Amino acid sequence: MASSNVPQNATSPGSLSQAPAEKPSAPPVNVLPSPLAQTYSLVHPLVLLGLCAYRFEALVANPAQELLADLPWLAALQFVYVICCLPPAGSSSSEAHVGVEDKKKASRSSAGSSTPVRSGKVLHRRKSPSKISWASVWSRLMPACLAFGLTSLLATPAIAVLLVLFGAPLTTHNVETFLCAAHMGLLSSTALVYVHGVDSDIWKEVGGISRPADVVWGSALGTGLGAWFGAIPIPLDWDRPWQAFPITIVIGAYIGHALGGLISRTSLLYGKRIQFAPEQVHEDEKKTN
């Protein structure tokens, strides 16, 4: 008797087709494995806090003037940080780590080989690292420029609107509000755009506060939470000069940025997500009702 082989995954005309699998979430971002990146990623938050503490008296004396004067310094520090420590959009720290290991293996194999090398090949090998380095620098400069451009054009105005919605004065202190938003945008959005680009799926996770914890997301979330808690002393009747808007908000954003980036790198939080209400709980409640 002849047997007919029917594929198991074949579906009959009347059966429903399977739904496409959901796109997996992007993994958490790692700091680049180079010694310079690992070291500066820990020094950078301390430098920001040191700058904030050093200019605190000037900030209290004239908030608008000091925020404007410190803005170029913050932009420069963030520019150096993202280029030296973070993988640009379209790459990953693991790929960079593999590239470094491949270069080490190649150098070891070439050093241990006893095959004679011609002079022309030696000159070619000496020129190739410079080409690779220039390409690497260019691949980092372009995402960095994009990150700063989008932060200035989109993130800063959006944060300024949020500050007004959450209680910042609308008819007065407009300069202070905009400068505060510019500082918060550089602290929170620059690294996010640099490592994730304009991927809509990732930005939906950012908007839904569902990204896995890493140094980039932790710094951004810490900036927002720090600014939130920093606004608490403003309405209190302490009559202190540092309670003026937006001094405590800016200080809170800097502290939250530093603490969020450092804590999110630890094994306690790295790779974990914030879950407000698990779906299983809702399903159980529906069944009981």
Side-chain angles (χ1 to χ4, degrees), residues 53-205:
Y54 177 70
R55 303 301 300 174
F56 179 73
E57 294 183 0
L59 179 63
V60 174
N62 193 334
Q65 181 178 353
E66 186 60 29
L67 288 175
L68 181 61
D70 291 342
L71 197 59
W73 292 102
L74 176 60
L77 290 173
Q78 290 294 92
F79 193 85
V80 173
Y81 170 68
V82 297
I83 289 180
C84 294
C85 300
L86 300 177
S91 66
S92 64
S93 58
S94 59
E95 293 176 356
H97 182 67
V98 171
V100 172
E101 292 296 330
D102 291 342
K103 290 179 182 179
K104 290 181 179 179
K105 292 178 181 179
S107 61
R108 291 173 184 173
S109 60
S110 61
S113 61
S114 57
T115 307
V117 182
R118 296 180 181 179
S119 59
K121 291 184 178 180
V122 172
L123 292 175
H124 177 70
R125 289 181 180 179
R126 289 178 181 176
K127 292 180 180 179
S128 59
S130 62
K131 294 180 181 179
I132 296 175
S133 63
W134 276 111
S136 177
V137 171
W138 181 251
S139 66
R140 295 173 185 272
L141 285 177
M142 286 299 294
C145 294
L146 174 64
F148 278 86
L150 292 180
T151 299
S152 302
L153 297 177
L154 298 178
T156 298
I159 295 175
V161 173
L162 289 176
L163 288 174
V164 173
L165 292 177
F166 279 97
L170 178 60
T171 58
T172 61
H173 299 80
N174 294 327
V175 175
E176 289 84 349
T177 300
F178 185 82
L179 291 175
C180 177
H183 279 254
M184 292 180 60
L186 288 174
L187 291 173
S188 61
S189 303
T190 304
L192 281 174
V193 179
Y194 181 80
V195 299
H196 298 308
V198 292
D199 192 335
S200 60
D201 294 329
I202 295 179
W203 284 101
K204 288 179 182 178
E205 293 181 347

Side-chain angles (χ1 to χ4, degrees), residues 49 222 226 250-260:
L49 292 179
V250 174
I251 298 299
Y254 272 82
I255 296 176
H257 173 84
L259 293 180

